[in-house]
Amino acid sequence: MVSVKRRLSTDESEGSSNNKVAKTDELSREQRQERVFVNMRLRRIIKENHASTIHQLAFFFNNKNFSGPVGIDLQKTFDKRGSVQRDQTDTSNVLASVGGCQMSVYDNEHCGDHLDIMSNFDLSLQQDGEVKRELHTFCWLYRENDAWLATAGTDSQIHIVSLALSQEMAILEGHAKTIHDLQPHPQRDNYILSTSKDGTMRLWDVDKKKCLAIFEADATVTCFSPSGNTFISGTSRGELRQWTIPDDLDEHDEPIRIQKKQSKLYKKFHGDNYIDCIRYANGHVISKSSNGRIEIWEADTEKHIRSIRIRTGECCSRFDVSLDENYLCVGNSSGSVFVYNLHTGKLITELSHRRSNKAVRCCTFTRDCRQILVGGEEGFMLRYDYIDDATLEEWANWRKPENS
């Protein structure tokens, strides 16, 4: 793990001298936020013991039940022990990862800026001495006084795990092959959407342990619209479709079946390339293909807004959008992470380090956008932190020879 010279305080993040504070105050909010990204440096490296690819990282932001400042508008306060003081429903310090046969949960703000393990769930399935299960995806589900995680992978089952009780609460069965993607419903804490190699997508009621609808089409990834009434799917051949959630889900004993012809086919923004991530932001759809093309477009009109091209080889990598929907971070095949302004398409910064040379498979912003967490191959997780100007200057002076 990378050592930390000293802990940064909230005051330091605003500058260490009156001159620097004054200059910072003259900048716009956008300029101050982008300055934070430019000042990020690698401060933490963790290697998870499964030594397999970390397929997904996500904080438990709990947006349906908690709202508060985000980005640089969020100013943290600390207690005497150095822990961040927060509202009881603010769980944005809790981070989960999936890789190999394990799901790990971390506290990203325990006693200052440490990244401490809270729980580890080993869902390995042993056959003839070999591990036969690998987890590819997960999503958070809010429960009063608890957090549930739905996770899935090569065994075609969806495992529902309680964080508070540290035990598996349910198994959802129905898919016949590997599950690529799980998405939580944006409005209902009991609905999740699964995407499988078996050629179906399934909508589930987790509380009832019941499949509500089966969408009959190949897909690699999906994303709900903000209303939760529709979702968009992407395929390994660049196909994008919009699907409508039926209104009468609770009126049927058996799952409703929706055929491909009942969906809306979009034009191929990515040609025939593998779609590996889709998100909504600012009323637009953001889709990414494994060849490094990110396209921003309108779901209703198919109007193209802008393109972003990542410097990468072929690389399946989940991107993330900041909670204020102003910025996007995404990794490439050689270990770098890029931060873009979504409104302009401008590259803000490239985060890289000589110790980060494996393909990045996922990355995520913290709530205050002062850190970016990165997951990649061989179980490596990295954290880039904002460093104030005074500390960067101090570090630069350490490197200068004495006779300079």
Side-chain angles (χ1 to χ4, degrees):
M1 184 177 290
V2 177
S3 62
V4 181
K5 184 67 180 176
R6 61 192 179 100
R7 195 182 127 248
L8 302 176
S9 68
T10 303
D11 292 338
E12 285 178 312
S13 68
E14 299 301 319
S16 61
S17 68
N18 290 334
N19 277 340
K20 288 179 180 176
V21 170
K23 290 179 181 178
T24 300
D25 288 342
E26 294 173 2
L27 301 176
S28 67
R29 182 188 187 281
E30 180 179 283
Q31 290 172 322
R32 287 185 286 130
Q33 181 63 76
E34 294 183 0
R35 185 172 177 175
V36 167
F37 293 134
V38 171
N39 277 28
M40 282 185 172
R41 299 293 186 272
L42 180 62
R43 294 292 297 276
R44 289 282 186 274
I45 298 178
I46 290 176
K47 185 173 184 180
E48 297 188 337
N49 61 8
H50 54 75
S52 301
T53 296
I54 296 177
H55 292 286
Q56 192 170 354
L57 289 170
F59 283 98
F60 185 26
F61 289 132
N62 191 21
N63 292 327
K64 292 189 285 292
N65 304 283
F66 174 81
S67 62
V70 299
I72 58 173
D73 295 331
L74 174 58
Q75 299 299 323
K76 297 177 183 177
T77 57
F78 300 86
D79 61 22
K80 293 180 180 179
R81 298 174 300 170
S83 299
V84 177
Q85 296 179 311
R86 62 177 67 253
D87 185 278
Q88 187 175 359
T89 57
D90 178 8
T91 56
S92 59
N93 59 307
V94 182
L95 172 79
S97 68
V98 288
C101 56
Q102 298 181 27
M103 180 168 57
S104 298
V105 181
Y106 299 87
D107 185 344
N108 190 47
E109 293 175 351
H110 178 68
C111 294
D113 61 358
H114 295 285
L115 183 62
D116 295 332
I117 189 77
M118 293 173 60
S119 296
N120 177 262
F121 301 96
D122 188 337
L123 301 176
S124 59
L125 178 67
Q126 296 285 341
Q127 292 182 5
D128 301 325
E130 296 183 7
V131 175
K132 296 295 184 179
R133 177 185 291 145
E134 182 175 357
L135 300 176
H136 288 176
T137 182
F138 78 96
C139 65
W140 288 100
L141 299 168
Y142 171 77
R143 291 295 180 276
E144 189 173 358
N145 299 320
D146 197 358
W148 285 6
L149 298 107
T151 186
T154 56
D155 71 348
S156 74
Q157 299 176 330
I158 301 174
H159 303 265
I160 309 299
V161 177
S162 164
L163 181 58
L165 301 177
S166 294
Q167 68 181 44
E168 190 170 79
M169 305 300 290
I171 296 177
L172 306 181
E173 296 182 304
H175 283 298
K177 293 185 179 179
T178 296
I179 297 172
H180 299 298
D181 190 43
L182 291 175
Q183 293 292 328
H185 194 277
Q187 304 298 329
R188 302 188 60 163
D189 284 312
N190 58 318
Y191 281 9
I192 61 173
L193 182 66
S194 59
T195 304
S196 173
K197 194 176 180 180
D198 64 10
T200 68
M201 299 163 283
R202 293 176 179 244
L203 182 68
W204 304 82
D205 186 322
V206 174
D207 290 342
K208 296 180 179 179
K209 304 179 180 62
K210 177 183 177 182
C211 178
L212 302 174
I214 300 174
F215 303 85
E216 298 178 336
D218 289 329
T220 53
V221 67
T222 58
C223 180
F224 281 106
S225 64
S227 69
N229 296 326
T230 63
F231 69 89
I232 293 176
S233 65
T235 74
S236 59
R237 301 176 302 281
E239 192 175 89
L240 291 158
R241 289 181 177 271
Q242 185 185 68
W243 303 79
T244 300
I245 306 293
D247 294 327
D248 57 346
L249 290 173
D250 295 326
E251 299 177 11
H252 300 268
D253 295 329
E254 297 296 323
I256 301 173
R257 288 189 172 269
I258 297 95
Q259 297 179 344
K260 183 185 290 188
K261 64 183 180 181
Q262 295 173 264
S263 64
K264 175 184 177 180
L265 177 63
Y266 290 114
K267 63 184 179 183
K268 283 196 170 183
F269 290 96
H270 298 271
D272 295 328
N273 294 291
Y274 188 107
I275 307 295
D276 59 5
C277 196
I278 306 173
R279 292 283 295 273
Y280 272 86
N282 305 305
H284 302 142
V285 181
I286 308 173
S287 55
K288 175 184 171 293
S289 51
S290 60
N291 66 341
R293 285 179 58 186
I294 295 176
E295 304 293 347
I296 304 175
W297 46 283
E298 292 183 354
D300 293 336
T301 65
E302 298 186 65
K303 178 184 176 182
H304 184 260
I305 307 299
R306 91 176 27 87
S307 298
I308 296 173
R309 186 65 186 238
I310 311 158
R311 298 194 301 273
T312 181
E314 281 290 315
C315 181
C316 289
S317 181
R318 295 175 187 263
F319 64 80
D320 190 34
V321 175
S322 60
L323 286 178
D324 59 10
E325 299 187 351
N326 290 330
Y327 301 97
L328 176 148
C329 64
V330 62
N332 72 358
S333 58
S334 57
S336 294
V337 175
F338 303 90
V339 180
Y340 292 91
N341 183 312
L342 279 175
H343 300 289
T344 64
K346 180 181 73 171
L347 175 64
I348 305 303
T349 189
E350 176 182 352
L351 304 175
S352 61
H353 192 274
R354 59 181 175 79
R355 297 184 66 180
S356 177
N357 52 24
K358 306 293 183 183
V360 172
R361 298 302 184 189
C362 51
C363 52
T364 185
F365 292 102
T366 55
R367 186 177 188 86
D368 65 359
C369 284
R370 286 183 171 88
Q371 296 171 329
I372 293 176
L373 282 291
V374 179
E377 296 178 337
E378 298 183 7
F380 280 102
M381 183 164 61
L382 301 87
R383 194 181 75 187
Y384 290 90
D385 291 13
Y386 165 70
I387 310 297
D388 65 274
D389 290 334
T391 301
L392 288 178
E393 184 178 347
E394 184 180 341
W395 288 359
N397 290 333
W398 291 342
R399 299 188 187 101
K400 290 180 181 179
E402 294 183 1
N403 58 357
S404 62

